[in-house]
Coordinates of all heavy atoms in Angstrom, one line a residue:
A545 N 137.9 124.1 27.7 CA 139.2 124.8 27.3 C 139.6 124.6 25.9 O 140.0 125.5 25.1 CB 140.3 124.5 28.2
K546 N 139.4 123.3 25.4 CA 139.6 123.0 24.0 C 138.7 123.7 23.1 O 139.0 124.2 22.1 CB 139.4 121.5 23.8 CG 140.4 120.6 24.6 CD 140.1 119.1 24.3 CE 140.9 118.1 25.1 NZ 140.6 116.7 24.7
I547 N 137.4 123.7 23.5 CA 136.4 124.4 22.5 C 136.7 126.0 22.5 O 136.6 126.5 21.5 CB 135.0 124.2 23.2 CG1 134.6 122.7 23.1 CG2 134.0 125.1 22.6 CD1 133.2 122.4 23.7
K548 N 137.2 126.5 23.7 CA 137.4 128.0 23.6 C 138.6 128.2 22.8 O 138.5 129.3 22.0 CB 137.8 128.4 25.0 CG 138.1 129.8 25.2 CD 138.2 130.3 26.6 CE 138.6 131.8 26.7 NZ 138.9 132.2 28.1
E549 N 139.6 127.4 22.7 CA 140.9 127.6 21.9 C 140.3 127.6 20.3 O 140.7 128.4 19.6 CB 141.7 126.5 22.1 CG 142.6 126.8 23.5 CD 143.6 125.6 23.6 OE1 143.9 124.9 22.8 OE2 144.1 125.6 24.8
F550 N 139.5 126.6 20.0 CA 139.1 126.5 18.6 C 138.1 127.8 18.3 O 138.1 128.2 17.2 CB 138.4 125.3 18.4 CG 139.3 124.0 18.2 CD1 139.2 123.0 19.0 CD2 140.5 124.1 17.4 CE1 140.1 121.9 19.0 CE2 141.4 123.0 17.3 CZ 141.2 121.9 18.1
K551 N 137.3 128.1 19.4 CA 136.4 129.4 18.9 C 137.3 130.5 18.7 O 137.0 131.4 17.9 CB 135.5 129.5 20.1 CG 134.2 128.6 20.2 CD 133.3 129.0 21.3 CE 132.1 128.1 21.3 NZ 131.1 128.5 22.4
N552 N 138.3 130.7 19.5 CA 139.2 131.8 19.3 C 139.9 131.8 17.9 O 140.3 132.9 17.4 CB 140.3 131.8 20.3 CG 139.8 132.3 21.6 OD1 138.8 132.9 21.8 ND2 140.5 132.0 22.7
M553 N 140.0 130.6 17.4 CA 140.6 130.5 16.0 C 139.6 130.7 14.9 O 139.7 130.5 13.7 CB 141.4 129.1 15.9 CG 142.5 129.0 16.7 SD 143.7 130.3 16.6 CE 144.4 129.9 14.9
K554 N 138.3 131.0 15.4 CA 137.2 131.1 14.4 C 136.8 129.9 13.6 O 136.5 130.2 12.3 CB 137.4 132.4 13.7 CG 137.5 133.7 14.5 CD 137.8 135.0 13.8 CE 138.0 136.2 14.6 NZ 136.8 136.6 15.3
V555 N 137.0 128.8 14.1 CA 136.7 127.6 13.3 C 135.1 127.5 13.0 O 134.4 127.5 14.1 CB 137.2 126.3 14.1 CG1 136.8 125.0 13.3 CG2 138.7 126.4 14.2
P556 N 134.7 127.2 11.9 CA 133.2 127.2 11.6 C 132.5 126.2 12.4 O 131.4 126.5 13.0 CB 133.2 127.0 10.1 CG 134.4 127.4 9.5 CD 135.5 127.0 10.6
Y557 N 133.0 125.0 12.5 CA 132.2 124.0 13.2 C 133.1 123.2 14.1 O 134.2 122.6 13.7 CB 131.6 122.9 12.2 CG 130.8 123.6 11.2 CD1 131.1 123.5 9.8 CD2 129.8 124.5 11.6 CE1 130.5 124.3 8.9 CE2 129.1 125.3 10.6 CZ 129.5 125.2 9.2 OH 128.7 125.9 8.3
I558 N 132.8 123.1 15.5 CA 133.6 122.3 16.3 C 132.6 121.1 16.8 O 131.5 121.4 17.2 CB 133.9 123.2 17.7 CG1 134.6 124.4 17.3 CG2 134.7 122.4 18.7 CD1 134.8 125.5 18.3
I559 N 133.1 119.9 16.5 CA 132.4 118.8 16.9 C 132.9 118.1 18.2 O 134.2 118.0 18.3 CB 132.3 117.7 15.7 CG1 133.7 117.2 15.2 CG2 131.5 118.3 14.5 CD1 133.5 116.2 14.2
V560 N 132.0 117.9 19.1 CA 132.3 117.3 20.4 C 131.9 115.8 20.5 O 130.7 115.6 20.0 CB 131.7 118.1 21.5 CG1 132.1 117.5 22.9 CG2 132.1 119.6 21.4
V561 N 132.8 114.9 20.8 CA 132.4 113.5 20.8 C 132.8 112.9 22.1 O 133.8 113.1 22.8 CB 133.2 112.7 19.8 CG1 132.6 113.2 18.4 CG2 134.7 112.9 19.8
G562 N 131.8 112.1 22.7 CA 132.0 111.5 24.0 C 131.5 110.0 23.8 O 131.3 109.5 22.7
G563 N 131.1 109.3 24.9 CA 130.7 108.0 24.9 C 129.4 107.8 24.1 O 129.3 106.8 23.3
Q564 N 128.4 108.6 24.3 CA 127.1 108.5 23.6 C 127.3 108.7 22.2 O 126.7 107.9 21.3 CB 126.1 109.6 24.2 CG 124.7 109.4 23.7 CD 123.8 110.4 24.4 OE1 124.1 111.1 25.4 NE2 122.5 110.4 23.9
E565 N 128.1 109.7 21.7 CA 128.3 109.9 20.3 C 129.1 108.7 19.6 O 128.7 108.3 18.5 CB 129.2 111.2 20.0 CG 128.4 112.5 20.2 CD 128.3 112.9 21.7 OE1 129.0 112.2 22.6 OE2 127.6 113.8 22.0
A566 N 130.0 108.2 20.4 CA 130.8 107.0 19.8 C 129.8 105.8 19.7 O 129.9 105.0 18.7 CB 131.9 106.6 20.8
E567 N 129.0 105.6 20.6 CA 128.0 104.4 20.5 C 127.0 104.5 19.5 O 126.7 103.6 18.8 CB 127.2 104.3 21.9 CG 126.4 103.2 22.0 CD 125.7 103.1 23.4 OE1 126.0 103.8 24.2 OE2 124.6 102.3 23.5
N568 N 126.6 105.8 19.2 CA 125.5 106.1 18.1 C 126.1 106.5 16.9 O 125.3 106.8 16.0 CB 124.4 107.1 18.7 CG 123.8 106.6 19.9 OD1 123.5 105.4 20.1 ND2 123.6 107.5 20.9
R569 N 127.3 106.6 16.8 CA 128.0 107.3 15.6 C 127.4 108.5 15.1 O 127.0 108.8 14.0 CB 128.0 106.2 14.4 CG 128.8 104.9 14.6 CD 129.0 104.1 13.4 NE 129.5 104.8 12.2 CZ 130.9 105.0 12.2 NH1 131.8 104.6 13.1 NH2 131.5 105.7 11.2
T570 N 127.4 109.4 16.2 CA 126.9 110.8 15.9 C 128.0 111.8 16.4 O 129.0 111.4 16.9 CB 125.6 111.1 16.6 OG1 125.9 110.8 18.1 CG2 124.5 110.0 16.2
V571 N 127.7 113.1 16.2 CA 128.5 114.2 16.6 C 127.6 115.2 17.2 O 126.5 115.3 16.9 CB 129.4 114.8 15.6 CG1 130.4 113.8 15.1 CG2 128.5 115.2 14.4
S572 N 128.1 115.9 18.2 CA 127.5 117.1 18.7 C 128.2 118.3 18.2 O 129.5 118.4 18.2 CB 127.5 117.2 20.2 OG 126.7 116.1 20.8
I573 N 127.5 119.3 17.6 CA 128.1 120.4 16.8 C 128.0 121.8 17.5 O 126.9 122.1 17.8 CB 127.5 120.5 15.4 CG1 127.5 119.1 14.8 CG2 128.3 121.5 14.5 CD1 126.9 119.0 13.5
N574 N 129.1 122.5 17.7 CA 129.1 123.9 18.1 C 129.3 124.7 16.7 O 130.3 124.6 16.1 CB 130.2 124.2 19.0 CG 129.9 123.7 20.5 OD1 129.2 124.2 21.2 ND2 130.6 122.5 20.7
V575 N 128.3 125.4 16.4 CA 128.4 126.2 15.2 C 128.9 127.7 15.5 O 128.4 128.4 16.6 CB 126.9 126.4 14.5 CG1 127.0 127.2 13.3 CG2 126.4 125.0 14.3
R576 N 129.9 128.1 14.7 CA 130.5 129.5 15.0 C 129.4 130.5 15.0 O 128.5 130.5 14.1 CB 131.5 129.7 13.9 CG 132.3 131.1 14.1 CD 133.2 131.2 12.9 NE 132.5 131.3 11.6 CZ 133.2 131.1 10.4 NH1 134.4 130.8 10.4 NH2 132.5 131.2 9.3
G577 N 129.5 131.3 16.0 CA 128.5 132.4 16.1 C 127.2 132.0 16.9 O 126.4 133.0 17.0
S578 N 127.1 130.8 17.3 CA 126.0 130.5 18.0 C 126.4 129.8 19.4 O 127.3 129.1 19.5 CB 125.3 129.3 17.2 OG 124.1 128.7 17.9
N579 N 125.6 130.0 20.4 CA 125.9 129.5 21.6 C 125.2 128.1 21.9 O 125.4 127.5 23.0 CB 125.3 130.4 22.8 CG 126.3 131.6 22.9 OD1 127.5 131.7 22.6 ND2 125.6 132.8 23.1
Q580 N 124.4 127.7 21.0 CA 123.7 126.4 21.0 C 124.5 125.2 20.5 O 125.3 125.4 19.6 CB 122.3 126.5 20.4 CG 121.4 127.4 21.0 CD 120.1 127.5 20.2 OE1 119.9 127.0 19.0 NE2 119.1 128.1 20.9
Q581 N 124.4 124.2 21.1 CA 125.0 123.0 20.6 C 124.0 122.0 20.1 O 122.9 121.8 20.6 CB 125.7 122.2 21.8 CG 126.7 121.1 21.3 CD 127.3 120.3 22.5 OE1 126.7 119.6 23.2 NE2 128.6 120.6 22.5
M582 N 124.2 121.5 18.9 CA 123.4 120.6 18.1 C 123.8 119.3 18.4 O 124.9 118.7 18.0 CB 123.3 120.9 16.7 CG 123.0 122.4 16.3 SD 123.3 122.8 14.7 CE 121.9 121.7 13.9
R583 N 123.0 118.4 19.1 CA 123.4 117.0 19.5 C 122.8 116.0 18.7 O 121.7 116.2 18.0 CB 122.9 116.8 21.0 CG 123.4 117.9 22.0 CD 123.0 117.6 23.4 NE 123.4 118.6 24.4 CZ 124.7 118.5 25.0 NH1 125.4 117.5 24.6 NH2 125.0 119.4 25.9
G584 N 123.5 114.9 18.7 CA 123.0 113.7 18.0 C 122.9 113.8 16.4 O 122.0 113.1 15.9

Side-chain angles (χ1 to χ4, degrees):
K546 297 181 187 181
I547 292 173
K548 183 178 179 180
E549 288 178 11
F550 286 126
K551 280 187 175 181
N552 289 339
M553 298 303 292
K554 300 182 185 287
V555 177
Y557 310 119
I558 304 170
I559 59 176
V560 180
V561 294
Q564 187 174 351
E565 285 81 7
E567 181 179 347
N568 298 323
R569 294 191 59 77
T570 61
V571 293
S572 294
I573 308 169
N574 287 280
V575 181
R576 184 180 60 202
S578 172
N579 292 323
Q580 296 180 342
Q581 189 178 75
M582 305 174 62
R583 300 180 182 277

